[in-house]
Amino acid sequence: MRPLLDVQRVSKMFGGLQALQDVSFDVSAGEVVGMMGANGAGKTTMFNLISGNFKPSGGQILFDGQSVVGMSADRICRMGIARTFQIVRPFNELTLLDSVFIAAQFGARTRKGRSQAQVLAAEILDIVGLAERKDELAATLTLADQKRLEVARAISTGARLVMLDEVMAGLTPREVTEMLSIIRDLKARFDLTIIIIEHVISALMNVSDRIVILHHGETVAIGSPDVVARDPRVLACYLGTKS
Amino acid sequence: MIDILLSEQLLAAAIITGTLYALVALGLNLVYGTMRLLNIAHGELVMLGAYVASSGYNYFGISPLVGVIGAGVLTGLMGAAVYIFLFRNLLVKPELSRRLEANSLLIFFGAIVILQNIVALAFTGTPRGYRYLDGVIHFGGVALTENRLAGFLIAAAICLATAIFLRASIVGVAIKALIQDRRAAGLVGINVDRIQLLSLTLGFSIGGVAGALVSMTQEITPFMGFPYTMAAFVVIILGGLGNLVGGIAAGLVLGFIQIYGVALTSPQWNSILLYGAFVAVLVLRPQGIMRGGRGVR
Amino acid sequence: MTRALPFVVFLAAGFTVPWIGSTYALGVGLQLGMWIALTQSWIILSGMAGYISLGHAVFFGLGAYFVVMTWEVIPIWLSLPLAGLITFLFAVIISVPVLRVRGPYFVILTFGIAELVKYVVILIESSFGQYSRLLFGTPEIGDLYWVMLALAIAATALSYWIRFTRFGHGLLAIREDEEAAQSIGIPIVRYKTLAYGLSGIIPAMVGGVMALRTNYFEPEQAFDPIVSFTIITMAIVGGSDDARGPLLGAAFFTFLSEMLWASAPQGYLIILGVILIAFILLMPNGICGRIFPPAGSRI
C-alpha cells in the first residue's frame, strides 16, 4: 500500500546554511505522524517544502504517488495538502465563518455550491468550538481561538493531509487537552491524515501513531512513541534523561 | 559619436549630475533608513528649497549660496515639525499609528498635491530662473559655468561630510545603528526618539539644500519634484536601502546612466531613462528586502 | 432598503439628467459618470485585493490614446471596446513582473509605470511630429453621455457583484494575508492578474469617451497624476470597501470641483489633498464606513 506522503532524501540549503539534510520518512493514509525536535531542527522548513512555500534543494516529495516538487503552494493545496502556520495568520477583517467558508470554496474540494460550503464551514466551526462566535471578526479572537480557527480553515479546504505547526504553543494545559480532542474529532469526521509539529511532548506522544525526530536538519529517530522515547540518541539530544 | 562619449565634458556632466542625485538620495535614505518611511514627497522638498533660494535672490538679492542655508533651515524645520506633531503625537495612539503606517504613501501623495498647489498659487506655474554666477570656467577640455561648479562642490562636500560624520561621530554611529536595527538600538541606550528627530530634520533639510543648488542651474516650477523623487528612489534601492554611503555611489551610477544614455539617444529620452530605471529597479530588486504578504490598505 | 438607496438614487439621477435639456447638466453628468466608473474599477484592485494603485491614470490614458489613434479608422462602437481589451492585455502582460512587487513598492511602482508610459507616448507622438491631437466630428455630448452612463453602471455593477463571487472572496483573502490565502488553495497569481486587468478595462473606455468629449488628446493630460490622485481621494472619502463608496465620493468631489475648478483650481486641489489626509487618519473607511457600518459577514 503506497504511502500518502513519501518524503525521499530531502535537503534544503538557505545560502550557506543546511536546514535539512537527507531527510526521509513516509506517512500512510489515516496515520498521525508527530514531528519533534529542538528549535531550528528543520521541522517548519519541512512543512514549507511539502506545502510548496519553498523548493527543496534535493530529494523528492511524493503525494499519493505524484511529485509535488516545484508546484505552487495553492496548487499543492488543491491536490489535498493543507497546513497551519506556526505564527497564526488569520484573515483579520473577515468573520470566522467567512474565513472558513472561503477555504471551503477553494482547496481540494470538488466545487461546492455556496450554501453547501456555508453549511460545511458552520459544521467545522462547531467542531472546533467557535460556532457561537461565527460572525465576529477574526482579529477579535484570543490566541487559543485563533489557533482553532487556523485549524478549522485548513480542514475546510478538504485536504486529505493536514499539517499542524505547533497549534498548541502558548496554550494552557486545559486548552491543550481541548485542542487534542478537537484534532481527534476532526480526524475521525473527515478521515484525515495528519502530520503534527509540537513541543508539548506529552500531547504529541498521546496523539501520534509514529514520531519523527529531527535534529540539526537530520532525522535522528523514526518510530512509535514508546520506541522513540527510549532511543538513546533521542534522549541525548532532545528529551534529556528522565526516569 | 565616440568623441562625444569619450569627451571630458560628458564625464564632468555625469559626475556633477550624479553627485546631485547622491545628495538628494541621501536625504531620502536618512528618512527611510531610520523611520522606514518611503517619502514620495521628497522631491517636493527639493522644489521648496529651489523656490526659497530663487525667491531670496529675485526678491531680496540674497545670494543663492546663502539661500542654501535658508532652504535647508526651512525644510529642516518642516521635517522636525512633521516628526514632532505627526509621529510623536500620533504614534501614541495605536489605532492612528496603524493607519499611518499602512497608508503613509497615500498621505505623502496628498502632501505632494498640497505642496505643489500652494506653491503654484503663490508663484504661479510659470517656470522661473535666475542668473547667478554664470561666468564660465575652463578645466582642460571641460567648460563649466561657475554655478554648476559651485553646486557640485557644495553637494560633494555635504556627501563627504555626511559619510565622515556617520563613521566618526557618536551621533553618526547611532544613526547607523538605528538604521540597522531599531529595537536593538533602543536596547543599547540610544535615544531613538532624538535620533529619529535628527534624522528626519537632516533628511528633509538635505532635500531643501539640494533644491537650492538646483535652482542655480535650471528653471524651476512647482511641479519639478517628481523626477527628483524618482531619482532618489532609484538611488536608494540601487545603493541598498538605508545604506547611506552606498547611496552616494549609486547616485553617481544613475548620473552616468542618464547623461550617457541621453548622449546616446536624445534629450527626449531623459525622462524615459529615469522612469525606466525606476521601474526596472523596483521590478528587479532582490526579493527579501521587504517582507511580502500584506497589501497596503 | 436604505442599503440600496444610493444605487437607486444615482440610477434615477443618471436617467433623469438628459431630460433636463441643458448641455451644462450633461457635462456635469458626464464628469460624474466618469469618476464613478474610474473609482469603482479602482476599488476592484485596490480596495478588494489591497494592491493600491497610485497610477491608474495609465489605463485612462492608454484607452484615450487608442481611440484617438484609431479615430476615423475604426468606428467608435468598435474602438471603445477594443481600447478596453487592449488595455486589459497590456495590464496582464506587465502584471507578470509588476505583481511580484509587494507592499509599498508596488504602490510607487504603479506611479512610475504611469509616468513611464506617459513619456513613451510623448516620444512616440513626437516621432510623428505631434504634440497633441485634435479630433473633428466627434459624437454629440448627449450620445456620449449615454455611453458614459453605461460604463458607470457597468463598473458599479461589477464592483458590487464581485464581492459575492468566489473570485471576489479570493481577492479579499489575498488582501488580508496573501500567503495564507495561497495556503488554502486560492490561485493568487491568476486572481491578482485578473483583478489588475479588470481594473483597467473600464478606465480605458472612459478615457476613450473623454477624448471624444474634449476632441483633444495630449499625453500630459491623459496620463495626468492628478487623475490617479482624484480617483484615490474619491475612493477613500466615499469608502473603498463598498460599491456605494465611489458613488458618494465621486458625487462629493464632482460638485466641489464644479464650484471651484474654474475660479481656483489650485485651491480645489489643496482641499482635495487635505481631505484625503484627514480621511485616511480619521475615517479610513470613508463615508460609507460611517453610514453603513459593516456588521458580520459581507460576502
Side-chain angles (χ1 to χ4, degrees):
Chain A
M1 217 357 233
R2 160 174 83 194
L4 185 60
L5 181 74
D6 198 357
V7 175
Q8 298 172 349
R9 310 198 59 167
V10 160
S11 305
K12 180 64 183 169
M13 298 267 304
F14 288 109
L17 174 68
Q18 182 108 42
L20 288 172
Q21 188 167 2
D22 232 24
V23 173
S24 300
F25 64 92
D26 59 54
V27 182
S28 305
E31 257 199 305
V32 175
V33 170
M35 198 176 277
M36 261 169 37
N39 283 320
K43 312 183 295 295
T44 299
T45 306
M46 190 73 243
F47 270 24
N48 282 328
L49 292 179
I50 298 172
S51 71
N53 290 96
F54 294 143
K55 221 178 128 173
S57 314
Q60 183 59 266
I61 301 177
L62 300 175
F63 180 68
D64 210 6
Q66 199 181 344
S67 168
V68 295
V69 170
M71 279 191 192
S72 68
D74 50 87
R75 176 130 178 255
I76 292 182
C77 174
R78 289 194 290 276
M79 286 192 65
I81 302 179
R83 57 142 339 146
T84 66
F85 291 94
Q86 194 173 1
I87 301 180
V88 285
R89 308 185 74 138
F91 295 142
N92 278 318
E93 306 281 319
L94 299 181
T95 65
L96 306 202
L97 185 60
D98 286 343
S99 303
V100 180
F101 162 59
I102 291 181
Q105 288 188 301
F106 291 92
R109 295 199 183 281
T110 46
R111 197 79 72 87
K112 274 190 154 15
R114 187 193 166 93
S115 48
Q116 269 190 299
Q118 291 233 318
V119 165
L120 178 70
E123 184 193 346
I124 294 178
L125 272 183
D126 191 42
I127 298 181
V128 303
L130 290 172
E132 284 146 14
R133 321 264 298 275
K134 65 180 170 66
D135 289 322
E136 289 179 30
L137 297 186
T140 63
L141 294 183
T142 62
L143 178 67
D145 286 340
Q146 281 185 338
K147 286 192 176 266
R148 295 188 198 189
L149 181 64
E150 188 114 332
V151 173
R153 190 176 66 184
I155 308 270
S156 199
T157 61
R160 289 191 289 158
L161 174 65
V162 176
M163 304 196 292
L164 305 173
D165 196 343
E166 294 194 41
V167 291
M168 322 243 193
L171 299 188
T172 67
R174 201 193 81 170
E175 286 165 344
V176 166
T177 314
E178 283 169 356
M179 183 65 92
L180 273 176
S181 158
I182 289 173
I183 292 175
R184 287 209 178 86
D185 289 344
L186 287 169
K187 176 174 185 299
R189 167 73 179 83
F190 294 103
D191 201 20
L192 300 173
T193 307
I194 295 180
I195 308 180
I196 174 166
I197 294 178
E198 264 316 322
H199 284 300
V200 185
I201 298 171
S202 55
L204 200 61
M205 297 285 191
N206 194 310
V207 78
S208 309
D209 300 315
R210 279 188 304 140
I211 298 200
V212 173
I213 305 210
L214 293 180
H215 189 68
H216 290 323
E218 294 180 310
T219 41
V220 169
I222 302 181
S224 74
D226 315 307
V227 166
V228 156
R230 287 195 292 264
D231 187 316
R233 287 168 302 169
V234 173
L235 292 171
C237 47
Y238 187 51
L239 290 176
T241 48
K242 177 189 180 286
S243 55
Chain B
M1 173 57 86
I2 300 288
D3 327 319
I4 304 180
L5 283 180
L6 292 180
S7 80
E8 300 118 323
Q9 185 75 27
L10 213 57
L11 184 64
I15 294 178
I16 293 178
T17 307
T19 308
L20 195 64
Y21 283 157
L23 184 66
V24 175
L26 185 62
L28 180 63
N29 228 345
L30 261 175
V31 172
Y32 178 80
T34 54
M35 303 204 56
R36 292 294 183 266
L37 283 178
L38 289 173
N39 182 11
I40 52 173
H42 192 69
E44 314 317 310
L45 298 172
V46 173
M47 182 267 290
L48 286 174
Y51 270 89
V52 167
S54 152
S55 310
Y57 186 72
N58 281 331
Y59 298 124
F60 303 108
I62 302 177
S63 149
L65 295 179
V66 174
V68 162
I69 301 177
V73 166
L74 172 71
T75 49
L77 282 175
M78 283 176 66
V82 164
Y83 184 75
I84 294 174
F85 295 115
L86 202 65
F87 290 102
R88 232 190 231 164
N89 285 331
L90 289 188
L91 283 176
V92 174
K93 305 170 198 160
E95 182 54 36
L96 274 175
S97 95
R98 186 179 64 85
R99 291 179 198 169
L100 188 73
E101 184 194 296
N103 294 299
S104 59
L105 280 171
L106 297 184
I107 293 177
F108 285 132
F109 206 29
I112 290 175
V113 174
I114 293 175
L115 286 172
Q116 284 180 349
N117 283 282
I118 289 181
V119 172
L121 211 51
F123 293 95
T124 81
T126 7
R128 44 182 65 206
Y130 56 89
R131 297 168 51 156
Y132 179 78
L133 278 189
D134 54 357
V136 180
I137 309 184
H138 292 266
F139 291 97
V142 180
L144 281 181
T145 50
E146 290 167 352
N147 47 34
R148 281 200 80 167
L149 184 61
F152 165 68
L153 288 174
I154 296 178
I158 296 179
C159 287
L160 194 61
T162 310
I164 297 176
F165 167 68
L166 288 172
R167 197 158 286 210
S169 92
I170 190 78
V171 179
V173 172
I175 292 180
K176 286 209 303 198
L178 184 60
I179 292 177
Q180 273 206 10
D181 190 328
R182 185 205 230 100
R183 217 184 317 159
L187 286 174
V188 300
I190 292 177
N191 188 334
V192 169
D193 176 72
R194 211 177 294 170
I195 298 289
Q196 281 179 182
L197 173 62
L198 178 66
S199 302
L200 212 62
T201 308
L202 257 182
F204 275 38
S205 170
I206 290 179
V209 164
L213 296 177
V214 162
S215 74
M216 288 196 292
T217 57
Q218 70 178 60
E219 287 198 319
I220 65 177
T221 79
F223 309 104
M224 62 184 271
F226 281 138
Y228 290 101
T229 308
M230 294 293 116
F233 273 98
V234 172
V235 170
I236 71 173
I237 293 176
L238 270 181
L241 292 160
N243 183 345
L244 298 174
V245 175
I248 294 177
L252 287 167
V253 169
L254 182 63
F256 272 76
I257 292 177
Q258 201 167 20
I259 295 294
Y260 282 91
V262 166
L264 283 169
T265 53
S266 81
Q268 292 176 316
W269 281 80
N270 197 1
S271 296
I272 294 184
L273 280 168
L274 185 62
Y275 288 92
F278 177 75
V279 169
V281 148
L282 277 175
V283 165
L284 296 172
R285 68 184 173 90
Q287 297 300 94
I289 285 184
M290 179 82 183
R291 292 261 330 139
R294 299 176 195 246
V296 180
R297 278 190 75 194
Chain C
M1 180 50 204
T2 33
R3 313 198 75 212
L5 195 61
F7 294 125
V8 172
V9 166
F10 276 80
L11 200 57
F15 280 98
T16 314
V17 164
W19 304 115
I20 299 181
S22 134
T23 318
Y24 174 72
L26 280 174
V28 173
L30 202 73
Q31 282 275 315
L32 182 58
M34 166 177 97
W35 291 116
I36 289 177
L38 289 174
T39 311
Q40 295 283 19
S41 303
W42 184 88
I43 67 175
I44 291 176
L45 175 71
S46 305
M48 293 203 69
Y51 273 72
I52 300 228
S53 163
L54 217 54
H56 230 62
V58 72
F59 302 125
F60 181 87
L62 280 174
Y65 194 45
F66 181 81
V67 166
V68 164
M69 291 291 271
T70 58
W71 175 244
E72 290 179 344
V73 176
I74 305 180
I76 301 178
W77 58 262
L78 193 55
S79 74
L80 277 178
L82 268 183
L85 180 64
I86 298 222
T87 305
F88 176 80
L89 290 174
F90 166 79
V92 167
I93 292 173
I94 70 168
S95 78
V96 174
V98 165
L99 284 174
R100 280 191 284 148
V101 180
R102 300 283 181 87
Y105 297 101
F106 173 81
V107 182
I108 57 179
L109 176 61
T110 58
F111 179 78
I113 288 173
E115 292 291 285
L116 179 61
V117 170
K118 176 177 85 177
Y119 285 109
V120 168
V121 169
I122 290 178
L123 185 73
I124 295 176
E125 285 290 273
S126 80
S127 74
F128 288 138
Q130 304 267 23
Y131 297 97
S132 62
R133 290 177 187 260
L134 285 173
L135 303 178
F136 298 101
T138 56
E140 295 284 322
I141 187 174
D143 299 329
L144 289 176
Y145 175 82
W146 288 113
V147 178
M148 192 64 95
L149 180 64
L151 288 174
I153 292 177
T156 305
L158 182 63
S159 152
Y160 175 76
W161 238 344
I162 239 180
R163 200 163 261 283
F164 300 104
T165 64
R166 194 163 161 265
F167 172 59
H169 300 162
L171 292 184
L172 289 177
I174 289 174
R175 179 184 75 189
E176 292 303 311
D177 190 322
E178 197 161 322
E179 213 178 307
Q182 203 182 19
S183 78
I184 60 172
I186 296 176
I188 56 172
V189 173
R190 211 189 319 152
Y191 276 20
K192 286 194 299 183
T193 307
L194 192 54
Y196 193 60
L198 271 180
S199 75
I201 297 182
I202 289 182
M205 295 198 274
V206 168
V209 172
M210 288 313 280
L212 295 171
R213 147 80 166 141
T214 57
N215 299 320
Y216 181 69
F217 173 83
E218 192 198 313
E220 294 270 11
Q221 255 184 31
F223 291 93
D224 194 346
I226 296 297
V227 172
S228 306
F229 174 71
T230 308
I231 293 174
I232 296 174
T233 306
M234 290 179 175
I236 301 271
V237 168
S240 61
D241 217 10
D242 195 316
R244 291 163 295 199
L247 299 176
L248 301 176
F252 179 73
F253 286 106
T254 302
F255 291 120
L256 186 67
S257 94
E258 279 308 305
M259 292 193 290
L260 291 177
W261 186 257
S263 51
Q266 292 100 353
Y268 168 69
L269 288 174
I270 293 174
I271 293 177
L272 220 65
V274 169
I275 292 182
L276 172 66
I277 295 180
F279 266 76
I280 291 176
L281 291 177
L282 303 173
M283 248 206 283
N285 287 322
I287 300 178
C288 265
R290 270 296 156 87
I291 308 181
F292 306 108
S297 171
R298 296 169 58 233
I299 61 175

